[in-house]
Every structure is written in structure tokens, then in C-alpha cells.
Amino acid sequence: MRVNWDILKLSVLILCVIGLYGFSDYRSNQREVEEISVNFLGDNDLFIDEASVNKLLIQNYGSVKNRTKEQLVLNTIEKVIQSNDMVKKAQIYFTVDGKLVSKIVQRKPIGRIEGASKFYLDDVGKRMPLSKHHSARVPIITGKITGKTLEDAYTILNYINADDFLRKNVIGIHVEEEGNYQLRFRMENFVVNLGGVDNLNEKFKNFMAFYAKATKDNSLEKYAVVSLEFNNQVVCTKI
């Protein structure tokens, strides 16, 4: 029987490659984690720090350093980190030099509730606890806090954050009652009665027209209340 040496050589080569790959993979899995790197993506304001992440891992998973790669389940480590109330998402991976890297995206607060209980409202409308590491500069929400008024406050905050002027100047939302919201501005003495969350685009369009004219006339300081509750008009109460 004639031997096909080309096929035989190719088969041996494939077996060698598979063997080398298996050996390399085995050696890699047996390599111990020499360093842990914690990276926070996005804003530099940290609501959770590296020490807190490491403590969280030790409490829920045990020590990670000096354990082999095959002893560590990356999905489990990710879930442990994501269990923290300040974390939105975590990605964990190994580098070729034996480093365990975690990339963490924090939750983003857009409002702070000041009432019987104090907490943040995050950018997806969920409650977020305050942090001992950092206090976010976001509008303060006060008054009658309920599930529905928080939903409305979230709608208002999303509109405010989409507008550069409003984002820089609105410092608070006061809930008089459901469907009756009042805005407070950074540099002005007046308050803005917004009413409900219906027709926000029209209401703020009217307000910006009023604000531009009153600024030009130097008359902003004359007003105590600016009401946007009525259709297509701005009703002002003087001091």
C-alpha cells in the first residue's frame, strides 16, 4: 500500500498544534493571578472605590489573588461586583501576563430625594442609595414623594438634562402634590410652577421666551412666581 506522505505530515502537524495548544492552555489555566486591576469607566466621581470592590469580592467570593485561573469563574465575579448598588455593569477578563482586570460602569444619579428617606434617582428611573465616597451635584427633589411623583420627577429631569441651559440652572424640584411640580433655579429668586408633566416641550418653550425677554428688560428680579400651568401662556406674580 502506498503511503501518502503529504497527508501523514499534515496529520502529524495538526496533532502537534493541538498538543501545543492544549499544553499552553493548561499552563495558562494553572497560572496564578498576580495582580488585580480595577478600572472605572466614564465619570471620575467615584461612588464606590477600588478598596470597596476588593472587599466586596473577598466577602462574597473569597480571595482572588494567588488563585489559578481555572479556579476563578469570571461570570460569577462579574455578578458579585454588579450586586453592589453603585454598579451598573462590570466586565472581567484575564490578561496574558496574569492580571485580572475589572472594568466597572457606575450608576448615574440625576436627582437626589430629600425626605423621610434620602436617596438618588438614577438615569433609568430607579432608586440609588447615597454614597459615603461622593455626593453628586444634581437637582434636589422635595415634597410629597410617592411612586407616581418619582416617575414624574424622572420625566422632568430627563427633559432638563437634555437642555444645556436647564441642566446648568435648575437646582430643585418641589412636589406640591401629584400633577403639581415646582422648579427652583440657581441664580433666580422666583420659582416656576410647572403643573403636570404634560406638554413639557411647549411649557419650556414659553418659559425660555419669557426668560429671554425678562433678561433683556432686567425685570427678572421683580417676579416671585412664574407659572407655566396654563396653555400657551406664562403667568407671572410680582414680588
Side-chain angles (χ1 to χ4, degrees):
M1 183 178 66
R2 184 177 181 182
V3 177
N4 190 324
W5 291 104
D6 290 336
I7 294 178
L8 182 59
K9 290 177 183 178
L10 180 61
S11 299
V12 171
L13 178 61
I14 292 174
L15 289 174
C16 289
V17 170
I18 292 174
L20 288 173
Y21 176 81
F23 178 74
S24 175
D25 186 56
Y26 173 79
R27 286 289 301 273
S28 176
N29 287 333
Q30 294 302 309
R31 185 169 186 172
E32 293 182 348
V33 175
E34 299 175 2
E35 184 181 349
I36 302 171
S37 174
V38 179
N39 302 311
F40 295 95
L41 306 182
D43 297 336
N44 292 324
D45 298 327
L46 301 182
F47 299 99
I48 179 174
D49 60 9
E50 182 174 347
S52 299
V53 173
N54 290 330
K55 183 178 179 180
L56 182 68
L57 285 174
I58 292 172
Q59 289 176 338
N60 293 272
Y61 194 84
S63 178
V64 172
K65 197 172 181 179
N66 297 325
R67 292 172 67 178
T68 62
K69 290 183 179 181
E70 68 176 4
Q71 292 177 313
L72 302 175
V73 182
L74 298 186
N75 286 341
T76 302
I77 298 176
E78 287 180 353
K79 289 178 181 178
V80 167
I81 296 177
Q82 287 173 175
S83 69
N84 185 277
D85 289 330
M86 302 298 174
V87 176
K88 183 176 184 178
K89 185 179 180 181
Q91 180 185 10
I92 311 296
Y93 61 91
F94 292 114
T95 62
V96 293
D97 57 351
K99 182 186 294 185
L100 180 68
V101 178
S102 61
K103 292 186 176 180
I104 298 173
V105 179
Q106 298 180 104
R107 294 173 67 185
K108 182 179 180 179
I110 60 173
R112 175 171 175 155
I113 286 71
E114 290 287 339
S117 56
K118 304 178 188 297
F119 55 92
Y120 290 122
L121 191 66
D122 75 2
D123 59 350
V124 294
K126 294 184 178 180
R127 298 185 181 212
M128 173 181 170
L130 303 184
S131 169
K132 64 180 180 180
H133 300 290
H134 176 71
S135 180
R137 297 183 63 182
V138 292
I140 304 297
I141 304 170
T142 57
K144 298 180 179 179
I145 306 300
T146 66
K148 181 61 173 69
T149 59
L150 275 182
E151 289 180 11
D152 288 349
Y154 174 68
T155 299
I156 297 169
L157 288 168
N158 270 339
Y159 191 97
I160 289 171
N161 286 330
D163 182 275
D164 189 59
F165 173 82
L166 295 175
R167 184 176 64 254
K168 291 178 180 178
N169 288 280
V170 175
I171 60 172
I173 301 174
H174 182 70
V175 183
E176 293 286 345
E177 60 185 11
E178 185 178 317
N180 189 359
Y181 303 96
Q182 191 177 75
L183 305 183
R184 303 183 188 280
F185 281 69
R186 186 179 307 280
M187 301 298 295
E188 311 301 341
N189 292 324
F190 60 78
V191 296
V192 176
N193 283 341
L194 186 64
V197 295
D198 56 304
N199 302 319
L200 287 181
N201 191 55
E202 189 67 29
K203 288 177 179 178
F204 281 113
K205 181 180 178 181
N206 292 336
F207 172 77
M208 295 304 293
F210 153 78
Y211 191 90
K213 184 177 186 305
T215 300
K216 184 178 180 180
D217 296 341
N218 293 317
S219 60
L220 285 174
E221 68 277 2
K222 297 179 180 180
Y223 302 110
V225 180
V226 177
S227 179
L228 308 177
E229 300 170 272
F230 309 101
N231 290 335
N232 298 318
Q233 58 182 316
V234 177
V235 178
C236 300
T237 302
K238 291 187 175 182
I239 297 174

